[in-house]
Amino acid sequence: MSSPAHSLRQPGARDPFGLHLRHWRQRRRMSQLDLANEAEISTRHLSYVETGRATPSREMVLRLAERLEVPLRERNALLVAAGFAPMYRQRGLDDPALAAARRAVDLVLKGHEPYPALAVDRHWQLVAANAIVPLLMAGAAPELLQPPVNVLRLSLHPQGLASRIANLAQWRAHLLERLQQQIAATGDAVLQALHDELAAYPVGDAGHAATAGGGELSSVVVPFQLRTDAGVLSFISTTTIFGTPVDVTLQELAVESFFPADAATAQALAALKA
C-alpha cells in the first residue's frame, strides 16, 4: 500500500518553482500557514509564490528549503526552478576537494575492525568497506557481488544473505521501515522502486525465527543475526553521517557500523580477523 507521501508526484526539471515548493510542503505535511510561520513571511506571500504570482528571491528559496528540510540535491532543483544557479556541488569521493572526507571515512572503517563497517550512498550502494565485510558476504550469488553492490538487495535477496539471517523476518521489517522513512524524507523514486523490489522477496522458513536469540536485546534494538561457520553472529548497528555537509555527495553518504551484541560474537570476529 502506498503512503500519502508516495502518492505525491515528484516535480520535473521543467516544472515551475511553485509546484516544487508545494510538493515539499505537502510531503512535510505542513499547511501554508505552518510554513509561512516557520519562514517568517505572510501566508499571502507564500500563496503567491506557490501559484506563480510572486517570484521568490534566492534567499527566500534557501530559507524555505531549510524550513522544509529539503535535501541538498533537491535544493539545487528548487534553485534552478526559481531561475538561479545550483548552490551545492556534487563530486565523487575521489575528488581532491573531498580528500579529507574520504580519509575520515577510511579511518572510521579501518578503526572499527575487527567489527564490520561499510559506507553507502543514498541508494544503498556500497562505496567502501573494511576487511571484515567481504568475509561475511561470502557465499552470496556472484551477480549480487558485482559492483555496484546494493547492500539492501544483497541482504534480503534469496540468493544473497537472506537464507543465513537467523531473524530474517525481523531484520527485513526493520530494513523496509527504515527505507520507507528515507523515501518519505527524500521522495526518491529509485528508493521506492528498491523498496517495492525488496518487499516482494519471499521470507521463507527463516521468517519463523523472527526473534531467535534476541532476548532482552530485541526490546531495545533490532539485532542482525547472521549464521556463519563460527555460529550465529549477533550485531547491533549504528549509522554515522557528516554533521555539516555542503556537498551533495557527503550529505548522502552514510557509514554503517556493526558492533557485537554478545561476547561470543566478539570472540568469533577477533578469530576471523586473525
Side-chain angles (χ1 to χ4, degrees):
M1 181 178 297
S2 299
S3 66
H6 179 209
S7 65
L8 297 175
R9 184 184 74 85
Q10 187 80 23
R14 296 179 179 272
D15 287 321
F17 173 78
L19 188 60
H20 284 263
L21 178 60
R22 183 162 60 251
H23 167 83
W24 282 104
R25 179 176 60 77
Q26 292 175 344
R27 180 169 288 280
R28 297 296 183 249
R29 294 178 171 84
M30 296 179 71
S31 66
Q32 285 188 344
L33 178 60
D34 292 333
L35 180 56
N37 287 336
E38 287 285 336
E40 299 180 341
I41 60 176
S42 70
T43 306
R44 173 178 292 184
H45 182 60
L46 179 62
S47 176
Y48 281 4
V49 170
E50 280 198 5
T51 58
R53 296 175 64 184
T55 301
S57 65
R58 182 175 181 274
E59 290 71 23
M60 179 60 68
V61 172
L62 294 174
R63 184 193 304 179
L64 292 170
E66 181 180 359
R67 298 305 188 274
L68 290 168
E69 298 181 344
V70 177
L72 299 186
R73 179 182 297 272
E74 283 69 32
R75 292 190 195 193
N76 279 340
L78 284 172
L79 285 165
V80 171
F84 303 104
M87 177 178 176
Y88 304 100
R89 295 189 61 181
Q90 179 182 356
R91 292 164 283 204
L93 276 178
D94 56 351
D95 189 292
L98 298 184
R102 180 56 196 253
R103 285 196 298 271
V105 171
D106 290 341
L107 282 172
V108 170
L109 298 180
K110 180 65 177 177
H112 197 63
E113 294 177 0
Y115 311 140
L118 49 89
V120 295
D121 65 14
R122 66 185 178 125
H123 292 147
W124 290 88
Q125 292 182 342
L126 185 65
V127 174
N130 66 16
I132 305 302
V133 172
L135 301 179
L136 300 181
M137 290 180 175
E143 58 268 24
L144 294 175
L145 298 176
Q146 291 296 317
V149 175
N150 186 285
V151 298
L152 295 190
R153 181 179 292 114
L154 176 65
S155 296
L156 299 184
H157 196 285
Q159 296 181 13
L161 301 182
S163 63
R164 295 170 50 204
I165 299 177
N167 60 331
L168 177 59
Q170 184 186 35
W171 185 248
R172 174 180 180 272
H174 164 69
L175 291 184
L176 290 178
E177 180 181 1
R178 184 173 173 185
L179 188 53
Q180 192 60 61
Q181 291 172 350
Q182 190 177 355
I183 293 166
T186 65
D188 193 311
V190 174
L191 289 178
Q192 183 62 57
L194 177 62
H195 178 280
D196 295 343
E197 174 191 339
L198 301 181
Y201 289 165
V203 178
D205 294 339
H208 298 302
T211 59
E216 293 184 359
L217 180 65
S218 297
S219 66
V220 181
V221 296
V222 177
F224 173 57
Q225 299 168 346
L226 186 68
R227 297 188 184 95
T228 71
D229 293 340
V232 176
L233 303 183
S234 186
F235 300 93
I236 58 175
S237 63
T238 64
T239 302
T240 304
I241 59 174
F242 283 88
T244 56
V246 292
D247 180 278
V248 173
T249 299
L250 287 189
Q251 187 188 54
E252 295 173 346
L253 190 70
V255 174
E256 301 288 324
S257 303
F258 292 84
F259 294 83
D262 53 44
T265 297
Q267 294 170 2
L269 290 171
L272 189 64
K273 173 63 175 175

